[in-house]
Amino acid sequence: MTPAEIRKQLRITRNTLTPSQQSKHAQQALQNFIQLLKSQTDFNRPQKIALFLPQDGELDTHKTIEFLWNKTEHQIYLPVLETKDEWHMAFVQYTPQSVMQNNQFGIKEPYAATKYNLSGEQIYWVFMSLFAYDKNGIRLVMCGGYYDRPYAFKLNSESHTTKLIGWAHSCQQTESLLPSEPWDVPLDGILTETGYSSFLTERTFC
């Protein structure tokens, strides 16, 4: 199938989940997220953690955001497109007091003066939405390369500490390998309602 056909199919798949299933998956994802926090020494001190606001059947993040606000000292950041002209995407801190605005796609994002916008290299733990992913951590997202450009440095550096983690329903994994381009930045891991998996081991390609 073409990328467009895969997007269409997986959008239908995740939108067939009932509200009850969505709520259950969100709670299970939160528990898996908490276990990930406990397993990583990074989280022994406050971190900047990027998440996203779900739409169109995406695995919900609200329970996790509320947990971080109420139970931890970590700071939450959301991706924003209304940023510096020379940046493709940035990150802005998200709090219960954030002033929200719609971006060009009608997605809500927190408003902040551009001097408070952070670059991709300033956010070390990024949990991102996607349409599909495969066993190698190749992901299929919206067109535009919004996460690829801010994290292109990961393709050329083995010393980076930034982690890109997919946040999705397990039904969004494809059986076959997804097509990819040289500029596509793969995931370091995936978190679903079934658990967390790392892609940091050797990848296989056909």
Side-chain angles (χ1 to χ4, degrees):
M1 292 191 294
T2 66
E5 290 171 334
I6 297 172
R7 288 187 185 95
K8 181 178 180 180
Q9 177 182 323
L10 270 297
R11 175 183 279 119
I12 293 172
T13 298
R14 71 188 187 193
N15 275 300
T16 59
L17 295 170
T18 66
S20 176
Q21 288 174 314
Q22 282 278 6
S23 180
K24 182 179 180 180
H25 284 190
Q27 185 60 43
Q28 291 171 324
L30 169 58
Q31 296 307 314
N32 295 332
F33 178 80
I34 292 173
Q35 290 303 312
L36 178 61
L37 294 188
K38 291 178 180 179
S39 69
Q40 300 290 324
T41 57
D42 282 1
F43 297 113
N44 292 338
R45 60 186 185 279
Q47 295 286 324
K48 295 180 175 65
I49 299 174
L51 280 156
F52 63 95
L53 297 182
Q55 60 171 351
D56 194 26
E58 293 172 336
L59 179 60
D60 200 354
T61 58
H62 288 99
K63 294 179 187 296
T64 299
I65 289 172
E66 291 174 2
F67 167 80
L68 288 169
W69 277 342
N70 298 325
K71 302 295 184 180
T72 78
E73 296 182 1
H74 301 305
Q75 296 178 342
I76 302 172
Y77 284 75
L78 297 182
V80 299
L81 305 184
E82 301 296 330
T83 183
K84 300 177 182 179
D85 292 338
E86 67 272 21
W87 288 11
H88 197 57
M89 187 178 77
F91 294 89
V92 168
Q93 188 173 3
Y94 180 45
T95 72
Q97 291 75 42
S98 290
V99 176
M100 306 299 287
Q101 63 181 7
N102 289 339
N103 65 23
Q104 64 204 61
F105 298 108
I107 300 172
K108 290 190 178 299
E109 58 183 40
Y111 169 78
T114 54
K115 66 179 180 179
Y116 298 113
N117 289 193
L118 300 188
S119 69
E121 294 183 70
Q122 294 174 282
I123 306 290
Y124 300 147
W125 286 88
V126 180
F127 295 85
M128 56 181 292
S129 64
L130 45 81
F131 280 106
Y133 66 96
D134 66 21
K135 67 178 183 179
N136 284 335
I138 302 301
R139 58 195 169 78
L140 185 63
V141 296
M142 290 178 61
C143 298
Y146 289 102
Y147 281 92
D148 290 317
R149 297 187 190 184
Y151 288 101
F153 65 87
K154 284 171 60 65
L155 296 173
N156 304 310
S157 172
E158 296 182 357
S159 62
H160 62 78
T161 57
T162 299
K163 301 293 188 296
L164 293 183
I165 312 297
W167 183 280
H169 301 284
S170 60
C171 63
Q172 292 175 248
Q173 181 175 2
T174 60
E175 294 184 4
S176 58
L177 298 181
L178 291 170
S180 63
E181 300 292 345
W183 55 82
D184 290 336
V185 181
L187 298 169
D188 295 299
I190 183 73
L191 191 148
T192 73
E193 79 282 1
T194 63
Y196 171 76
S197 298
S198 172
F199 297 118
L200 294 179
T201 55
E202 183 177 354
R203 304 174 192 271
T204 58
F205 296 90
C206 62

